[in-house]
Amino acid sequence: GKTYLAELGAAILDRPVKRFDMSAYSGHQQNEELIGMARSFQGAHPGTLTEFVEKNPNAVLIFDEIEKAHIKTIHLFLQVLDAGLLEDKFTERNVNFRDTIIIFTTNACRKLYEQPNTSGVHSANAAFHRRTILDALENEKDSQTGQPFFPPTICSRMATGYPVLF
C-alpha cells in the first residue's frame, strides 16, 4: 500500500516517478549504482539516481524499504536532505534535488500499528503524534546487528519532513 500510494500521488501530480528497491543496495559498495563510479574505474557509469534526477528535476523518488539499505547508502541522503544536492561521481557534477519529492518507505517501527497498546498508541488515537513516529524511527534496531536502522543524523533530517504511519 505505501509504494502504491506514492506512485498514485506522483501520477496525480503528473510528475515522473522512479522507485528504488533498497534491498538491492544492502552491500557496502552498492551505493555506486545510485551515484555513479569515478571515470578511472573500468565499467564506470553515471548513477541511476543522479542521472534520473538530472533529467527529471521535479520527479518523485520512492526509496522502498529504506531500512534494508547499507548504512553507507543511507548516509548519502544526508547531502540530499541538507543541501538538496548530490554529486554524480562519473560526471563530477552536483545534481540538484530541490524540486524533487523524496519518499522513504519502511517496515521499521511496525510495533506502532501491530501492537498499539504495547507501544502506547491506542486505536482510539487515530491521529498518530509526529514525535511518536520519529521516536520509533530513532530507536528501532536491526535484530541482526543490534544497531539502529537509522542514524540520528538521518532521523533529525526526517524530522523536518512529514512522517506518515499507515
Side-chain angles (χ1 to χ4, degrees):
K2 298 179 292 285
T3 304
Y4 176 71
L5 181 62
E7 290 170 344
L8 189 62
I12 289 169
L13 293 171
D14 195 29
R15 289 183 172 217
V17 64
K18 186 154 181 86
R19 178 186 164 272
F20 295 90
D21 177 355
M22 298 311 287
S23 63
Y25 303 96
S26 60
H28 75 282
Q29 287 186 311
Q30 289 174 310
N31 64 339
E32 292 172 346
E33 182 65 29
L34 294 172
I35 60 170
M37 297 175 68
R39 292 178 189 258
S40 60
F41 291 101
Q42 184 176 358
H45 54 80
T48 55
L49 170 61
T50 49
E51 185 176 47
F52 181 78
V53 172
E54 190 166 46
K55 292 177 182 174
N56 304 283
N58 68 331
V60 174
L61 302 174
I62 304 167
F63 298 98
D64 205 10
E65 298 187 8
I66 188 72
E67 77 279 3
K68 292 184 178 178
H70 191 275
I71 192 71
K72 189 173 175 182
T73 300
I74 291 173
H75 277 278
L76 282 178
F77 295 106
L78 284 174
Q79 298 168 53
V80 174
L81 298 173
D82 275 346
L85 299 171
L86 188 60
E87 181 186 11
D88 185 290
K89 299 300 181 189
F90 181 79
T91 64
E92 297 180 344
R93 287 193 306 261
N94 280 328
V95 177
N96 187 338
F97 282 71
R98 289 186 179 104
D99 295 324
T100 306
I101 295 174
I102 297 172
I103 299 172
F104 297 130
T105 71
T106 183
N107 288 320
C109 309
R110 294 170 64 166
K111 69 179 181 180
L112 286 177
Y113 56 89
E114 287 182 346
Q115 301 168 354
N117 292 330
T118 306
S119 64
V121 178
H122 304 283
S123 57
N125 184 5
F128 291 102
H129 190 269
R130 164 188 188 82
R131 189 72 245 162
T132 303
I133 297 169
L134 294 169
D135 285 344
L137 287 171
E138 290 172 10
N139 295 310
E140 186 79 13
K141 294 189 179 180
D142 185 335
S143 61
Q144 294 176 350
T145 65
Q147 296 296 312
F149 281 116
F150 306 107
T153 51
I154 291 291
C155 290
S156 69
R157 277 37 168 225
M158 284 195 271
T160 65
Y162 303 95
V164 178
L165 177 68
F166 69 95

